[in-house]
Every structure is written in structure tokens, then in C-alpha cells.
Amino acid sequence: AQYEVLDAIAPTVAPPTSTEIPTWQQVQRIFGEVLDRVDDAEQVIDDTEARFAAVQAQHPGFVGASFTLPIYHLGTSTSAATTSQRYLFVKELCLEVSDTVASMTNSEADGFELGIERIDLVEADVVIWNTQMPDELAAVPTREAQLPAAGERREIVLDALLAAAIVQTNPLSISFAIERMVPELVAALDGNPDTVPPSAQRLYDAEIDAQQRAAMDAWEIAMDPSVPIADKGPHVEDFDTLAPALETAATVAGDLGS
């Protein structure tokens, strides 16, 4: 009914009826049909796909490398469904979604949310953070303790422009995103922890004051199952009350692991 109302006012184009998000190629073809420039639209698609192919040819190390694309908010990390445009863009660069994230989200879901205590679940060959809070992310106590990508400098941080370019993909934004993303991926995937992706430098340069460092160290001790329960006492609030439960949990965990 809404289409008929709008079409009576002016020629109206409806989006694809599929429940899946249309690809940038599908949208480009719709534009070509509407503007009676089908051949031009196909040429733009061919040229853009050729850019992706050139990246693959120039950077074979990208092929099959795993990635995650978490969205960091204060205290939590979320991940969109792996069929979202941001994931599809990186996949077109021949990287693959990590098995862990792929198993936790699908085309029927909006994604998932994690507390910072399970930040380890976003580990991959390269972790691409979508956040406007890099300083807060740098201070997350569990990040370097639980995320090897942090210690090995395999993180990328999307700024607002790059994040927008891979969310609203079209041939123009794709060209911009490829130019910005490829050097970041090269640095992240070169196997050298001394090579820091430019966008992530701020994570490692962020000043962590003594109080933040103490909190990070305390969290690592409290969460480390190899640390004796008694040694966790100074780092756990209400330890005397919680100690029996912690002892029971450690015993059960040991039984399950044996």
C-alpha cells in the first residue's frame, strides 16, 4: 500500500524483497535499471570487483586470515551478524570470519554482546575494532591479558569515516575503504609485533595511570585459574564471604578437567 501511495506521487523504486541485506552489486544494478544505464552499472561493478581481485593478487597473505569486527562500547563488546555490510566488505578482501564469531552469530541474528571478561572470544588473526572510545578500550583490564592480538599488535581501530564506508558500501565508499584498510591489514598480518597498524597506535600509546594498571593486574590475578584461591584475597571484594564459593568452583572445575 505504501508503494502505491508513493508511486502515485513520483516514480518509486522499492528495495529487494528478500529478507537478506542487498549487496552493493544488487543495489548498483537497481540504479542502472532505474536510470536506464544498465551497461554503465555493470561496468562500475566490474571495475570495483577488479579492485578487490587486485588486492588479493597483491596480498596473498590476506587469503584465509581470520578476523573479527567487534563494536566496543564502554564495558561491553558487541558483534553484528556476519551477513552485515561491514563483515561482507572484509570478506571480499579474502579474509574469513573467525570460527568462534561465526558460530555465535548468523543471518537471523543481530549479533551478540560480551562483557569485557570474555573479550577473548573476539580473538582472531586480526581484530578490527569499531569504536569511538579508543582510550577506554586501551584501558580495558582484560584486553592484553586475554587477547593475544593486543599483545602481538594485530588490532585495527576504525575511525568514524572508515566505519561509515564499510557499513554503507557502494563503489565510491569501497574505493575509499580499500585505500584505508589495506595498509592497516598489511601491518596487522605481517607477523611482526613491532609493526603497529597506524590506526591502533593510540591503543598502545594511551597513558595508563597507576590506578588503572593496578586494576588490570588485580583483574588478571583474580581471573587466573592457576593462582591459588588464597592469593586472590587482596584483589577480590568481600573475599571472606566469597571464598567458600570460589573454593567449590575451583574444585568442580578441577573435577571436570580431570
Side-chain angles (χ1 to χ4, degrees):
Q2 188 178 47
Y3 175 85
E4 284 77 10
V5 171
L6 294 173
D7 196 49
I9 299 172
T12 301
V13 179
T17 57
S18 171
T19 56
E20 294 185 358
I21 299 172
T23 65
W24 64 266
Q25 293 97 327
Q26 290 173 315
V27 173
Q28 193 68 21
R29 289 189 173 102
I30 292 172
F31 291 161
E33 292 177 7
V34 170
L35 299 172
D36 195 24
R37 297 180 62 179
V38 173
D39 291 343
D40 290 339
E42 290 297 332
Q43 186 61 58
V44 170
I45 291 171
D46 290 345
D47 292 344
T48 305
E49 290 180 339
R51 294 207 63 181
F52 282 115
V55 171
Q56 179 179 351
Q58 294 167 10
H59 304 285
F62 291 3
V63 180
S66 65
F67 78 97
T68 55
L69 217 166
I71 306 168
Y72 176 75
H73 303 285
L74 191 60
T76 62
S77 173
T78 61
S79 179
T82 54
T83 53
S84 66
Q85 295 287 4
R86 56 174 65 90
Y87 272 95
L88 294 179
F89 169 79
V90 182
K91 288 165 72 174
E92 287 200 83
L93 293 173
C94 293
L95 283 80
E96 297 180 0
V97 181
S98 76
D99 291 340
T100 301
V101 167
S103 70
M104 296 175 68
T105 181
N106 55 57
S107 59
E108 303 299 324
D110 290 331
F112 58 87
E113 181 171 309
L114 302 170
I116 57 173
E117 69 276 4
R118 291 313 313 271
I119 202 171
D120 59 295
L121 293 176
V122 302
E123 172 64 15
D125 291 331
V126 58
V127 178
I128 305 171
W129 291 104
N130 186 355
T131 183
Q132 301 305 306
M133 309 177 74
D135 292 339
E136 289 78 0
L137 174 61
V140 169
T142 54
R143 182 175 137 266
E144 293 203 30
Q146 294 190 20
L147 201 63
E152 296 170 12
R153 306 309 192 241
R154 294 184 280 106
E155 297 172 290
I156 293 171
V157 180
L158 304 180
D159 60 24
L161 283 177
L162 186 51
I166 69 172
V167 170
Q168 303 293 335
T169 50
N170 59 68
L172 289 177
S173 71
I174 286 171
S175 295
F176 170 80
I178 287 176
E179 290 179 3
R180 289 281 307 278
M181 183 68 83
V182 167
E184 299 279 345
L185 290 170
V186 168
L189 295 170
D190 69 353
N192 182 359
D194 293 329
T195 306
V196 179
S199 66
Q201 188 67 54
R202 185 170 177 179
L203 295 179
Y204 311 117
D205 290 344
E207 293 185 5
I208 301 177
D209 61 30
Q211 185 175 3
Q212 289 175 316
R213 175 57 64 186
M216 293 169 69
D217 292 342
W219 182 281
E220 186 170 356
I221 292 171
M223 297 299 291
D224 187 345
S226 68
V227 175
I229 297 297
D231 293 345
K232 298 178 186 285
H235 310 288
V236 177
E237 188 175 0
D238 295 328
F239 175 75
D240 291 340
T241 302
L242 295 173
L246 292 173
E247 292 280 5
T248 301
T251 300
V252 171
D255 292 342
L256 291 175
S258 61

